[in-house]
Amino acid sequence: MPPLIMEPFRIKAVEPIHLTTYEEREQALKAAGYNVFLLNSDDVIIDLLTDSGTGAMSARQWAAMIEGDEAYAGSRSFLRFRDVVEDLTGYRHIIPTHQGRAAERILFTNLLQPGDVVLNNIHFDTTRANIEYVGAEARDLVIAEGRVPSIRHPFKGNIDLYQLDRTLTEEGERVALVMVTVTNNSGGGQPVSLENIAAAAEIAHRHGKLFFIDACRFAENAWFIHERETSQRGRDPKSIAQEMFRLADGCTFSAKKDGLANIGGFLALNDDKLAEKCRNLLILTEGFPTYGGLAGYDLAAIAQGLEEVVQESYLRYRINSVARLAERLTEGGIPIVEPPGGHAVYIDAAALLPQIPSNEFPGLALVNALYLLGGIRTSEIGTLMFGDAAKMDLVRLAIPRRLYTDAHLAYVAETAYAAASLAHSLTGYRIVKAPPVLRHFSATFEPLQRVGQAPRLSRV
Ligand code: F0G
């Protein structure tokens, strides 16, 4: 187990947790149709559904919010936001948006034609959905190791450079954009090396293509580079991040992750013509280019968050706390995606619950067991989310930033041990009702009870 690195902050405000009983949770889950997305958050003890917009802000961020300037145009908060983003990324045009997917939609609407292809290590769901919405194709080219949960590799998020070059050579005229997602959320929150980003940029540019970064977790990626890439060891994470951004022509960003804010995002790029088109669409759907759908105080919080997120003491603690949870799970014999990523630990539900076939949703069975046993809310990333195209059945334990202490995460591990000890008696689920797209958000289910298997978890 990695040694404990204490939180490099004091806690200034606290929020009580409603400690539910097993019976209360059983009722709440049933009422939610066995879908934790449909629970009220008051019925959740530890919420690991996402690390997006769920972190704790600093006293300085709150102070900056109070000083936020709500002017419609040219607000002081925007100017600070722009200066901080410009210093970090080096891009000429900084376009604020209400969150990451809005930046994606604005970029793809202006850049892509039906039939175009976008290449990426692995597209996040909203990125893929926004590409497909305009009739283009989102193609994933992560290295082979990035698809096997048990293989350890320092940069499992790397894009396959050989495949990238080959695709551009063979189908170059269809490819409109090359992207790299850092860290690679859909592949387990795995980092991409600086060397790989540089090589991917070089290949894209050699073929005359734009190269963008999906930068939601850029600081966590920079920390992994600092820790694992021999040539970068000891380098300041901010300077690594600055180089990552400067290798690309632009980025999409959700400030809800490494912006350390509860809402916000941006699109940043160098191309003047494309930026003008994006700003015009922004005005139509998000707002004037100096607020982009955000309040002035949101921009102020993001600017401050971006300065805090690259601090070495913060990143060392952050990545360590996720690694300790992963190690606790591994010590308890729970199979996880190795090595753990930056923002989440992914349990391999298919390996833990081999008796549940993928069409009975082993991930959902584990998600619901973790909720019933300990009030922990997690999310299924597998057959329920992706249908038959799913390559793995995982459960993501996403860790909000600065929100939970090591004791909270120890409790999470204990709950997971309890679920693992009952693994043989867990049953799968059947869909009662599901919408045609993005079914995992709102579908309802019924537990399948099999002869010889316990119909209900025992109390812990
Ligand atoms: N790209 C990546 C890699 C993401 O992880 C997300 C969001 C987005 C884009 C979209 O950003 O939510 O601000 O619109 N990921 C969240 C998650 C929702 O839970 O992983 P957004």
Side-chain angles (χ1 to χ4, degrees):
M1 165 104 57
L4 176 64
I5 293 177
M6 74 173 190
E7 290 78 8
F9 47 80
R10 277 186 288 269
I11 296 168
K12 206 178 188 85
V14 297
E15 190 183 354
I17 294 175
H18 176 213
L19 299 170
T20 50
T21 62
Y22 184 96
E23 283 69 26
E24 283 169 340
R25 295 193 291 272
E26 205 173 29
Q27 263 183 16
L29 190 62
K30 195 170 176 200
Y34 298 93
N35 183 347
V36 294
F37 276 100
L38 304 179
L39 288 170
N40 293 338
S41 65
D42 272 351
D43 293 328
V44 174
I45 293 179
I46 304 269
D47 204 344
L48 307 183
L49 192 62
T50 179
D51 64 319
S52 180
T54 50
M57 291 213 297
S58 68
R60 285 203 173 158
Q61 282 179 293
W62 286 112
M65 285 185 80
I66 294 284
E67 293 199 347
D69 176 4
E70 301 306 331
Y72 191 93
S75 110
R76 193 174 60 238
S77 301
F78 171 73
L79 298 179
R80 167 141 196 257
F81 165 85
R82 186 200 58 196
D83 290 349
V84 169
V85 177
E86 229 169 54
D87 171 55
L88 181 68
T89 66
Y91 301 131
R92 273 208 292 282
H93 302 282
I94 315 294
I95 301 172
T97 58
H98 81 272
Q99 63 184 90
R101 66 198 69 182
E104 293 165 1
R105 183 184 61 81
I106 287 170
L107 175 66
F108 299 147
T109 307
N110 283 300
L111 191 66
L112 304 181
Q113 301 295 327
D116 281 352
V117 177
V118 179
L119 306 175
N120 202 330
N121 43 1
I122 303 186
H123 293 83
F124 179 67
D125 332 0
T126 61
T127 323
R128 177 180 307 282
N130 274 299
I131 290 168
E132 291 175 354
Y133 191 71
V134 296
E137 178 191 336
R139 205 176 294 173
D140 299 337
L141 296 180
V142 73
I143 56 170
E145 292 89 335
R147 296 204 183 274
V148 187
S150 57
I151 293 185
R152 291 187 81 94
H153 182 291
F155 292 104
K156 264 176 115 166
N158 281 355
I159 192 164
D160 185 327
L161 298 170
Y162 171 76
Q163 292 290 349
L164 176 63
D165 198 20
R166 207 185 73 170
T167 310
L168 285 166
T169 304
E170 290 174 3
E171 296 175 71
E173 58 304 335
R174 284 186 65 205
V175 177
L177 176 68
V178 177
M179 293 186 80
V180 164
T181 304
V182 300
T183 55
N184 184 26
N185 184 11
S186 306
Q190 300 293 328
V192 182
S193 71
L194 192 58
E195 193 183 10
N196 189 259
I197 297 173
E202 188 277 318
I203 294 169
H205 290 152
R206 175 153 43 82
H207 288 270
K209 304 299 174 191
L210 285 173
F211 178 69
F212 270 58
I213 296 179
D214 175 340
C216 295
R217 299 176 181 85
F218 75 96
E220 291 169 3
N221 200 79
W223 182 255
F224 283 118
I225 289 173
H226 167 283
E227 289 285 284
R228 296 181 184 170
E229 197 160 341
T230 320
S231 63
Q232 304 300 320
R233 198 155 283 157
R235 186 174 168 193
D236 174 29
K238 179 175 173 186
S239 147
I240 296 174
Q242 285 173 319
E243 183 172 343
M244 280 161 46
F245 284 116
R246 280 161 182 76
L247 288 165
D249 304 300
C251 73
T252 53
F253 182 69
S254 165
K256 301 173 74 171
K257 288 86 170 167
D258 276 351
L260 298 181
N262 300 123
I263 194 70
F266 60 81
L267 168 65
L269 68 167
N270 283 331
D271 186 297
D272 297 336
K273 273 211 181 101
L274 183 57
E276 194 184 330
K277 281 163 71 180
C278 290
R279 277 205 184 94
N280 289 337
L281 184 58
L282 184 88
I283 293 176
L284 204 65
T285 58
E286 292 272 304
F288 193 70
T290 62
Y291 74 86
L294 294 168
Y297 55 61
D298 295 322
L299 293 164
I302 297 166
Q304 179 60 33
L306 286 173
E307 298 206 325
E308 294 173 11
V309 78
V310 288
Q311 287 168 11
E312 204 168 317
S313 56
Y314 161 74
L315 285 169
R316 187 183 300 282
Y317 136 79
R318 162 77 178 159
I319 301 298
N320 178 265
S321 69
V322 176
R324 278 173 63 83
L325 172 60
E327 191 55 36
R328 282 191 168 107
L329 295 177
T330 307
E331 279 177 1
I334 296 168
I336 62 163
V337 174
E338 295 277 7
H343 67 295
V345 180
Y346 295 68
I347 299 178
D348 186 346
L352 187 66
L353 307 173
Q355 78 279 16
I356 303 181
S358 62
N359 64 356
E360 292 176 10
F361 311 120
L364 181 67
L366 182 59
V367 165
N368 285 344
L370 292 171
Y371 177 70
L372 286 170
L373 292 167
I376 307 203
R377 178 154 69 168
T378 56
S379 61
E380 191 262 13
I381 301 202
T383 310
L384 176 57
M385 187 179 270
F386 301 121
D388 293 338
K391 302 210 167 56
M392 307 184 238
D393 275 299
L394 305 178
V395 168
R396 183 178 79 165
L397 283 60
I399 316 299
R401 294 168 182 78
R402 307 190 289 203
L403 194 71
Y404 294 122
T405 64
D406 197 63
H408 287 120
L409 298 181
Y411 169 79
V412 170
E414 278 171 27
T415 306
Y417 298 160
S421 72
L422 295 168
H424 60 280
S425 65
L426 298 184
T427 57
Y429 284 81
R430 149 187 116 68
I431 293 179
V432 173
K433 197 161 170 261
V437 285
L438 296 174
R439 62 180 180 174
H440 56 287
F441 288 126
S442 56
T444 52
F445 306 92
E446 207 170 65
L448 292 164
Q449 291 171 12
R450 296 242 195 82
V451 183
Q453 289 184 328
R456 173 188 184 286
L457 300 176
S458 55
R459 177 206 275 268
V460 288

